[in-house]
Amino acid sequence: MLSLHQLRCFLATYEHGSLTSAAAELGYAQPSVSEQIRALEKSLDVQLFRRVGRGVVPTTIADELRPHAERTLAAADDARRAVASARSFDTGTIRFGMFGTARLYAGAGLVADVLARYPGVRVELIGQNSTDVHEELRRGRLEAAMIAVPAVTSEGMTVTPVAKDELVYISADPERLTAPVTASRLAQATLVMPETTWRAVDSTRIVLRQMLHETGRNPTTRIEVEDVETAVELVGMGLADSVIPRGAADSLLPRLAPHAGSVPLRPRQYDVIAVVHRAEATLSPAAELMIELATARIQQIAEPYRPR
């Protein structure tokens, strides 16, 4: 009979391409994972992996099984969370995904909001970049999250836009802040940009690439860093300019680059911030609470989203 334990072993092996690595992730002995895979193959009467060298390669049947296995495990996790939440809201753990920039200026307030209502609860804010958080949602490790779009796809997800965070050009040179920055000016700027690990899928960079499409150029960077704080510090040193959400600029410039300022882009550009959860999921009371509080908190900082 097919079991959740078998599906966990299957997904870990599928993702790592190695029984040994799958066992290390799950905390099992490698022969135990091999046994579970064999049992699953016997139960389904199929071959799921082929051995290649020291690793394994999924078959086309394994490719078909993967999304079903993810949904099954996610549903089981939903059931466990719902029971745990109903049994012990006051002393349990609440997990919520929030991408790095929004967490920078809304995360602490969100945690304070939760603890004001439930002082005994344990809070986990998960994620760095929206793509990172989206992957945690897809794999069922999070119930709900607040992320920036269009950094993620809506396939299999319910996406509810809640706010718009305007992108602004920041610089320590007053002459560059006398007027809004056009696409042609931006194409010639010397930039430092954060989120370098996720540069291909970062929502801010996607917006900037679309803005510069008419010029036939992509935003070019002189400096790449991971976190927005470092980018702002470098702007304050006069080493480069940057484009970041207004919420981050308002939060960080006075502290990290007090002599720098900001101007809008022309035309104005925005990161759209959305609440996302799996389309088929039944959200627990804890997830509903986090969505309510996170939406209220972010709308105090960014412009509430109003569909056209």
Side-chain angles (χ1 to χ4, degrees):
M1 180 180 293
L2 184 148
S3 72
L4 296 177
H5 183 46
Q6 291 170 353
L7 292 180
R8 287 192 184 91
C9 291
F10 162 73
L11 283 178
T13 303
Y14 186 99
E15 291 166 2
H16 289 284
S18 164
L19 291 165
T20 302
S21 298
E25 177 186 306
L26 296 170
Y28 302 145
Q30 189 267 343
S32 175
V33 174
S34 299
E35 180 182 350
Q36 293 300 317
I37 296 296
R38 286 195 299 270
L40 180 59
E41 290 178 326
K42 183 177 180 180
S43 175
L44 298 175
D45 193 25
V46 296
Q47 181 181 3
L48 295 172
F49 297 99
R50 295 189 303 272
R51 288 191 174 275
V52 177
R54 295 185 178 182
V56 293
V57 175
T59 63
T60 56
I61 295 176
D63 293 335
E64 291 292 327
L65 176 61
R66 179 189 64 82
H68 297 284
E70 288 179 339
R71 287 195 292 268
T72 298
L73 291 176
D77 288 339
D78 284 343
R80 277 193 292 268
R81 279 193 289 262
V83 171
S85 179
R87 185 183 67 241
S88 181
F89 205 139
D90 287 339
T91 59
T93 296
I94 297 179
R95 303 178 80 241
F96 188 72
M98 181 171 273
F99 71 105
T101 305
R103 194 179 64 248
L104 171 69
Y105 49 88
L110 175 59
V111 172
D113 294 340
V114 175
L115 295 181
R117 292 198 189 187
Y118 298 96
V121 81
R122 182 173 179 270
V123 182
E124 294 183 5
L125 288 186
I126 308 298
Q128 293 292 330
N129 182 273
S130 290
T131 304
D132 176 38
V133 176
H134 182 265
E135 179 64 15
E136 293 292 284
L137 279 168
R138 188 187 68 80
R139 297 177 66 176
R141 294 176 177 173
L142 287 171
E143 276 192 273
M146 179 169 282
I147 59 182
V149 294
V152 300
T153 63
S154 59
E155 182 180 356
M157 298 285 172
T158 295
V159 180
T160 306
V162 296
K164 298 195 308 180
D165 201 357
E166 184 178 4
L167 301 180
V168 295
Y169 185 93
I170 62 172
S171 177
D173 185 345
E175 293 186 1
R176 299 174 192 165
L177 303 176
T178 56
V181 174
T182 62
S184 58
R185 276 189 58 199
L186 184 62
Q188 300 172 28
T190 299
L191 297 177
V192 53
M193 293 297 293
E195 309 287 0
T196 185
T197 294
W198 296 278
R199 69 180 77 177
V201 292
D202 176 60
S203 61
T204 295
R205 300 202 196 203
I206 290 173
V207 171
L208 295 182
R209 285 196 292 270
Q210 292 171 346
M211 179 183 176
L212 290 183
H213 179 71
E214 64 185 55
T215 71
R217 298 177 61 178
N218 282 324
T220 55
T221 56
R222 179 185 183 187
I223 309 169
E224 290 278 346
V225 296
E226 290 289 2
D227 58 280
V228 67
E229 293 96 332
T230 300
V232 170
E233 285 187 284
L234 290 166
V235 170
M237 295 175 186
L239 297 177
D241 297 340
S242 190
V243 177
I244 62 174
R246 181 177 294 281
D250 291 345
S251 173
L252 295 177
L253 287 180
R255 178 164 54 91
L256 300 178
H259 301 297
S262 67
V263 291
L265 302 176
R266 180 182 290 165
R268 292 179 182 270
Q269 305 292 327
Y270 298 86
D271 267 346
V272 176
I273 301 172
V275 170
V276 183
H277 58 80
R278 294 191 311 280
E280 75 280 5
T282 300
L283 296 179
S284 69
E288 296 280 9
L289 172 70
M290 294 301 285
I291 289 173
E292 173 197 342
L293 296 179
T295 298
R297 176 62 61 171
I298 206 70
Q299 287 181 344
Q300 293 176 6
I301 300 162
E303 178 184 342
Y305 183 85
R306 295 180 177 86
R308 295 179 180 178

